[in-house]
């Protein structure tokens, strides 16, 4: 896998593998002890119903997409649902 700097991901559009645009990457959470990445925090598009996409939501309404769901990072970050 190619190394990608986190600063290059900030604000990148996130799309599910079925073509649904979920929103824009807000941040990435990690375990500070192990350094393992946990979730992508995605600011959902206004027209997107968060309960329809099947991901947990944080207290600010951002989608919590497990890093394990990431399938590709190119023009979009593509995630499995």
């Amino acid at each position: 896998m190619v190394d990608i700097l986190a600063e290059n991901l900030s604000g990148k559009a996130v799309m599910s593998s079925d073509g649904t645009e979920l929103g824009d990457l807000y941040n990435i959470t990690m375990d500070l002890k192990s350094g393992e990445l946990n979730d992508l925090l995605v600011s959902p598009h206004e027209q997107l119903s968060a309960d329809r996409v099947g991901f947990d939501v944080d207290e600010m309404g951002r989608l919590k997409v497990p890093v394990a769901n990431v399938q590709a990072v190119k023009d979009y970050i593509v995630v499995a649902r």
Side-chain angles (χ1 to χ4, degrees), residues 13-70:
V14 179
M15 176 185 288
S16 70
S17 55
D18 67 2
T20 303
E21 290 191 32
L22 301 176
D24 298 316
L25 181 64
Y26 174 76
N27 211 341
I28 302 172
T29 63
M30 69 180 289
D31 182 313
L32 293 176
K33 289 184 181 181
S34 70
E36 183 177 349
L37 299 178
N38 293 329
D39 298 308
L40 303 181
L41 295 180
V42 178
S43 297
H45 289 168
E46 290 181 14
Q47 68 275 14
L48 184 71
S49 173
D51 58 330
R52 187 177 70 97
V53 296
F55 293 117
D56 290 338
V57 178
D58 72 2
E59 61 279 351
M60 299 298 293
R62 294 180 292 246
L63 304 174
K64 294 173 65 176
V65 179
V67 168
N69 289 35
V70 175

Side-chain angles (χ1 to χ4, degrees), residues 1-12 25 27-28 37 40 73-74 77:
M1 184 172 205
V2 177
D3 289 340
I4 299 173
L5 295 175
E7 67 185 37
N8 295 334
L9 295 176
S10 181
K12 190 172 272 290
L25 181 64
N27 211 341
I28 302 172
L37 299 178
L40 303 181
V73 178
K74 297 210 180 208
I77 299 172

